[in-house]
Amino acid sequence: MKYLVHICRLLVGGLFIFSGLIKLNDPLGFSYKLQEYFSSEVLNLPSLDPYALGISVFVVVLEVVLGVFLLIGYKRKFTIWMLLGMIVFFTFLTFYAAYFEVVKDCGCFGDFLPLKPWESFTKDLILLILILVLVAGIKHIKPIFGKFPTTILALLGFVGSLWFGYHVLMHLPTWDFRAYAVGKNIAEGMAIPEDAQKAEQEYTWTFNVGGENVDFVTDGSYPTVDGEYVSVETKILVEAYDPPVKDFSIETDDEDFTTKFLAEDHLIMVVAYNLEKANEQGLKNIKKVTDKAIEKGYTVIGLSSSGDEDKQYAKEKYGFDFDFYLCDEKALKTVVRSNPGILKLEKGTVMQKEHFNDAEEIDLPEVERKPEPVVIVSTAYFVNEEEVTKEEVEAIDPETIESMNVIKEGSELEILNSMTSSNYTELIKITLKEE
């Protein structure tokens, strides 16, 4: 029993430290996962949303500290019963998420090792068994050092965990396991290879045949059955390839600029998933850096999920000399764990990424300024709904004009270009006074 307890002690302590450090490396990301658990679709505890970050830091620091306490043998009764309480709660949570299929990834190991719900539940069940062994053999758990060194090590574990959590919150995660890490290409992360795995599903069709329900299994095709259709159930046998970059876009209400900007040679991207919640001093820091970037020839854009009014307000309040485009909030939270944050990209590859506290560390060597595009204006003229030439318009007596409308964008100009196979950039419509 003694040796079994020692093995369980090493396994449980090591796993708790490893799991805790992975999440402590990205407490903001773990708080987003907690908010997912707090949502109405899962535990229906939206009132806890504002406290998600605090709960996140508390849980992961406790996880690391308990792992350290167990390994060094500090306060064994407190440590064992706290471990048991935590694992019982986590086992319930992962079972709930798996059984009701409400969470796709438990977040146990952050982005380092995403686990499916049933995998998370199995892991917690094994840990529960190991901790129960520790409960049964608690008398065999003794400090590995004297009382004073053990206390010092316990204190160092606690203080070190708090410091590390604070450090990554004030800067960025030390290790970035996401698809937007430095060196990753966003465009490539969005692409689905031609030979990518396609989803394989099994369909179970139920028909009433001769007064009895009979099941027919197909790969999706509707079965030819002499009976009345009752229902169909689907089961995924093999999941389709899931690209690492999801829901990322750079767009306006009318147009998608994702491909255009990800092809830029020198792009500075400001990310603020919510401008209303963005750190004010952080936005001021960003302003200094973007002004410098524009001066040195970089293309600068902003990305936010906020509405047009919030974007315009932020632009006017902080004097940003660039435009904000639309992107999904969840995607932006994944891009950078900072609101706001700033990235430097070259042809879609992330070259540098910084927290707003470190925005001025963005390396901005002078680059060749892109020439301004030459816009050739081509105008269509209409007088009383009839197309005329420019010379005919110039010959009109201004006194006879009732109204003149200049259209430079919109569906009317697009329809005209489509119908006439032209490329007009503006449309001038003149209405004359009735004689």
Side-chain angles (χ1 to χ4, degrees):
M1 182 66 175
K2 179 180 178 180
Y3 295 107
L4 179 61
V5 168
H6 288 332
I7 293 171
C8 292
R9 177 181 179 178
L10 289 172
L11 290 174
V12 173
L15 194 57
F16 263 74
I17 292 172
F18 176 73
S19 173
L21 283 176
I22 288 295
K23 293 194 285 288
L24 193 58
N25 173 65
D26 185 13
L28 200 56
F30 186 53
S31 74
Y32 296 151
K33 179 57 64 176
L34 288 180
Q35 287 176 335
E36 191 176 341
Y37 277 108
F38 296 153
S39 66
S40 57
E41 294 82 8
V42 188
L43 297 177
N44 195 23
L45 296 170
S47 59
L48 293 179
D49 266 10
Y51 312 105
L53 182 57
I55 295 172
S56 164
V57 173
F58 173 77
V59 168
V60 294
V61 168
L62 182 62
E63 201 171 347
V64 174
V65 167
L66 288 176
V68 172
F69 283 8
L70 180 62
L71 290 182
I72 65 176
Y74 182 74
K75 293 192 178 297
R76 61 183 182 180
K77 288 185 179 179
F78 166 81
T79 300
I80 294 300
W81 289 110
M82 284 296 294
L83 286 169
L84 182 61
M86 284 189 76
I87 201 61
V88 167
F89 175 72
F90 285 145
T91 304
F92 160 75
L93 205 59
T94 52
F95 173 77
Y96 183 91
Y99 185 79
F100 292 102
E101 299 182 347
V102 288
V103 176
K104 292 183 178 178
D105 169 27
C106 74
C108 302
F109 297 111
D111 295 293
F112 172 74
L113 182 62
L115 293 180
K116 294 177 182 177
W118 284 116
E119 292 174 339
S120 301
F121 171 69
T122 303
K123 181 263 299 178
D124 287 341
L125 201 57
I126 293 171
L127 271 173
L128 176 59
I129 294 169
L130 295 177
I131 292 172
L132 287 174
V133 172
L134 296 178
V135 172
I138 193 169
K139 64 181 181 181
H140 299 297
I141 300 175
K142 303 187 183 299
I144 58 175
F145 302 110
K147 185 175 181 180
F148 182 72
T150 300
T151 303
I152 293 298
L153 286 173
L155 183 61
L156 287 175
F158 176 66
V159 173
S161 298
L162 283 179
W163 173 86
F164 184 56
Y166 176 79
H167 174 77
V168 295
L169 282 173
M170 292 298 102
H171 302 280
L172 285 180
T174 302
W175 305 286
D176 191 348
F177 304 111
R178 300 184 301 281
Y180 303 91
V182 173
K184 300 282 188 178
N185 187 283
I186 297 176
E188 291 176 2
M190 297 168 67
I192 299 179
E194 290 184 9
D195 59 348
Q197 175 67 53
K198 293 180 173 54
E200 295 180 16
Q201 299 185 68
E202 181 182 85
Y203 291 73
T204 302
W205 306 83
T206 303
F207 286 82
N208 187 291
V209 181
E212 292 185 4
N213 286 346
V214 182
D215 292 339
F216 298 87
V217 178
T218 73
D219 60 359
S221 58
Y222 192 85
T224 304
V225 179
D226 186 14
E228 182 181 352
Y229 167 80
V230 177
S231 64
V232 62
E233 291 184 1
T234 60
K235 178 182 178 183
I236 297 177
L237 301 177
V238 180
E239 292 189 355
Y241 171 78
D242 189 24
V245 175
K246 293 178 278 290
D247 302 321
F248 179 84
S249 64
I250 305 172
E251 58 187 15
T252 62
D253 291 336
D254 305 314
E255 196 169 350
D256 190 330
F257 296 93
T258 309
T259 302
K260 174 182 180 297
F261 284 119
L262 291 183
E264 287 281 349
D265 291 324
H266 307 286
L267 178 70
I268 296 296
M269 183 188 295
V270 175
V271 173
Y273 75 84
N274 186 313
L275 284 165
E276 199 173 356
K277 295 179 180 178
N279 183 280
E280 289 195 19
Q281 185 57 50
L283 290 170
K284 291 175 183 176
N285 295 347
I286 294 287
K287 159 70 175 168
K288 297 176 187 175
V289 176
T290 54
D291 285 350
K292 183 180 176 182
I294 292 170
E295 183 184 331
K296 293 202 169 186
Y298 290 80
T299 299
V300 179
I301 63 169
L303 283 183
S304 178
S305 65
S306 297
D308 292 337
E309 288 185 9
D310 287 336
K311 291 174 184 173
Q312 188 59 35
Y313 176 77
K315 191 173 178 181
E316 292 173 0
K317 180 178 180 179
Y318 298 99
F320 293 133
D321 196 18
F322 59 87
D323 293 322
F324 277 92
Y325 293 85
L326 182 65
C327 184
D328 176 74
E329 179 175 319
K330 188 174 181 180
L332 293 181
K333 285 179 175 180
T334 308
V335 172
V336 59
R337 301 299 201 209
S338 173
N339 187 32
I342 187 167
L343 294 84
K344 182 171 79 169
L345 290 88
E346 292 182 5
K347 292 189 180 299
T349 298
V350 180
M351 307 304 293
Q352 195 175 352
K353 179 176 9 178
E354 299 294 346
H355 190 280
F356 61 76
N357 284 328
D358 307 311
E360 293 187 13
E361 292 187 14
I362 287 284
D363 186 30
L364 294 172
E366 192 143 356
V367 297
E368 186 177 348
R369 191 174 297 277
K370 263 181 104 173
E372 293 293 329
V374 178
V375 179
I376 301 174
V377 178
S378 177
T379 308
Y381 300 91
F382 280 79
V383 175
N384 290 344
E385 302 298 331
E386 291 187 9
E387 189 169 9
V388 297
T389 64
K390 180 181 179 182
E391 290 73 19
E392 288 176 294
V393 170
E394 291 174 346
I396 296 174
D397 182 356
E399 295 294 328
T400 64
I401 297 177
E402 181 177 301
S403 65
M404 183 171 69
N405 189 17
V406 180
I407 301 171
K408 294 189 176 182
E409 60 181 3
S411 59
E412 193 170 357
L413 186 59
E414 292 174 2
I415 292 170
L416 174 64
N417 282 329
S418 177
M419 292 179 63
T420 60
S421 299
S422 304
N423 193 28
Y424 291 118
T425 56
E426 67 177 12
L427 168 62
I428 296 179
K429 297 177 69 177
I430 298 173
T431 302
L432 300 178
K433 295 176 182 177
E434 295 184 2
E435 296 182 358

